[in-house]
């Protein structure tokens, strides 16, 4: 019904309603939206995949607790997270005041724009990748990996040939969710002053009082979403070992981290600190004040 309304609204509008799509600002907003979506996918993959592996297939201390803690940021609305990040890390935020009082730094780099929007979106989106990858790891048959090792593959080669093809569909699904979330997000990009298509629709309607132009922008955003879906389907073609094994399988053997145990714990703590503890700490600070 919403899509039908947009089509009818734009089709019955005057010819100048379509001219809004030819403005330079429209192309710029489309480019910024695509950049935010692609960057959020890349950052979520870089964060979510290692965390999925650490919390499911290694001997990480407290990995069951880490699974819960690292998934909690996805319940925080992106606009709330963006507001808290701006209050903590912005030019006039809490960190700026503490730096001015104790270190003498009068001004920190601005968080507004793409960096702030990317931080707010990635903080709530990386669990999509982490959870889908964890689900794929739970369904994975460890006998396949053991067979590859017994036939002479080194662990890295066995992981590349056996584990990664089975993770690819799940990772593609998580990346799709991240891309769609980032493309349609309105609250975080508005607070971080990053002009995307979603914010442009609101601006077009609220400032210009132009429903026809806003409908045209909405159709452009819909076209971008369809393009993201097409890319995901193309990337999913040829994925090997899509189906879950028909028999019940045991869990993957926990890989020993050895000397990498401390860096792994620091990584989990850093992600949880940025995505969960920092926003929650700001809320507690305001509550105490």
């Amino acid at each position: 019904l919403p899509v039908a309304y947009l089509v009818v609204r734009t089709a019955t509008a005057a010819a100048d309603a379509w001219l809004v799509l030819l403005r330079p600002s429209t192309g710029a907003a489309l480019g910024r939206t695509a950049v935010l979506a692609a960057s959020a996918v890349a950052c979520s993959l870089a964060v979510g995949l290692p965390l999925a592996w650490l919390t499911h297939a290694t001997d990480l201390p407290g990995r069951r607790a880490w699974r819960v803690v690292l998934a909690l940021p996805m319940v925080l609305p992106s606009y709330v997270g963006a507001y808290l990040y701006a209050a903590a890390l912005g030019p006039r935020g809490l960190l700026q005041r503490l730096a001015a009082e104790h270190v003498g730094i009068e001004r920190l780099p601005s968080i507004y724009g793409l960096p702030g929007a990317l931080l707010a979106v990635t903080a709530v989106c990386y669990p999509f990748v982490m959870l889908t990858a964890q689900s794929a790891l739970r369904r994975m048959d460890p006998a396949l990996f053991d067979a590859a090792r017994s036939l002479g593959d080194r662990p890295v080669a066995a992981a590349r040939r056996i584990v990664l093809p089975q993770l690819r569909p799940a990772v593609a699904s998580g990346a799709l969710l991240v891309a769609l979330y980032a493309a349609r997000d309105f609250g975080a990009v508005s607070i971080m002053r990053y002009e995307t298509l979603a914010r442009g629709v609101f601006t077009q309607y609220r400032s210009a009082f132009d429903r026809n132009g806003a409908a045209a922008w909405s159709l452009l955003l819909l076209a971008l979403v369809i393009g993201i879906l097409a890319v995901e389907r193309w990337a999913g073609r040829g994925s090997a070992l899509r189906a879950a094994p028909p028999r019940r399988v045991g869990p993957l053997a926990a890989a020993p981290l050895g000397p990498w145990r401390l860096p792994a714990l620091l990584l989990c703590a850093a992600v949880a600190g940025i995505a969960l503890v920092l926003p929650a700490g700001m809320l507690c600070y305001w509550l105490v004040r």
Side-chain angles (χ1 to χ4, degrees):
L1 183 60
V3 174
Y5 168 79
L6 294 176
V7 173
V8 172
R9 182 83 194 186
T10 309
T12 57
D16 57 352
W18 292 96
L19 295 179
V20 69
L21 299 180
L22 302 179
R23 297 174 182 172
S25 59
T26 303
L30 176 61
R32 284 190 291 266
T33 305
V35 168
L36 177 61
S39 302
V41 168
C43 292
S44 296
L45 290 175
V47 174
L49 280 178
L51 293 181
W53 181 74
L54 288 174
T55 57
H56 190 83
T58 69
D59 59 350
L60 180 74
R63 60 179 182 173
R64 291 185 178 180
W66 283 117
R67 291 177 196 169
V68 177
V69 172
L70 293 171
L72 284 178
M74 69 184 305
V75 306
L76 186 69
S78 62
Y79 72 91
V80 175
Y83 185 72
L84 295 172
Y85 285 129
L89 307 176
R92 299 181 181 178
L94 178 61
L95 181 61
Q96 169 65 72
R97 296 199 298 269
L98 293 177
E101 293 176 3
H102 302 287
V103 187
I105 300 177
E106 296 297 334
R107 186 170 183 83
L108 295 176
S110 177
I111 194 177
Y112 295 105
L114 178 61
L118 181 60
L119 173 63
V121 172
T122 303
V124 300
C125 285
Y126 80 84
F128 291 142
V129 175
M130 185 186 72
L131 293 176
T132 53
Q134 285 176 347
S135 178
L137 287 171
R138 281 194 296 269
R139 297 193 305 268
M140 194 173 298
D141 189 351
L144 297 175
F145 184 82
D146 295 338
R149 293 282 291 122
S150 66
L151 292 173
D153 274 350
R154 295 181 179 273
V156 176
R160 177 176 54 84
R161 295 177 56 191
I162 302 299
V163 177
L164 291 182
Q166 297 184 80
L167 283 180
R168 182 178 172 184
V171 171
S173 299
L176 173 65
L177 293 175
V178 174
L180 295 178
Y181 191 103
R184 64 88 177 160
D185 184 80
F186 170 74
V189 298
S190 297
I191 292 175
M192 292 299 178
R193 306 170 190 173
Y194 187 67
E195 289 287 345
T196 61
L197 286 176
R199 190 183 183 193
V201 171
F202 178 79
T203 304
Q204 188 72 23
Y205 177 70
R206 186 66 178 270
S207 301
F209 299 99
D210 184 8
R211 290 187 179 183
N212 298 327
W217 273 55
S218 299
L219 287 178
L220 184 60
L221 179 58
L222 180 62
L224 176 63
V225 168
I226 294 175
I228 293 174
L229 293 173
V231 170
E232 190 273 337
R233 287 183 62 86
W234 172 80
R237 289 180 180 177
S239 296
L241 305 174
R242 281 177 172 272
R247 61 186 180 84
R248 184 176 180 84
V249 298
L252 289 173
L257 290 175
W260 293 96
R261 180 171 297 181
L262 180 59
L265 285 173
L266 292 178
L267 173 63
C268 294
V271 174
I274 295 173
L276 183 64
V277 177
L278 178 60
M282 282 300 303
L283 290 176
C284 293
Y285 171 74
W286 286 342
L287 180 62
V288 171
R289 290 292 301 271

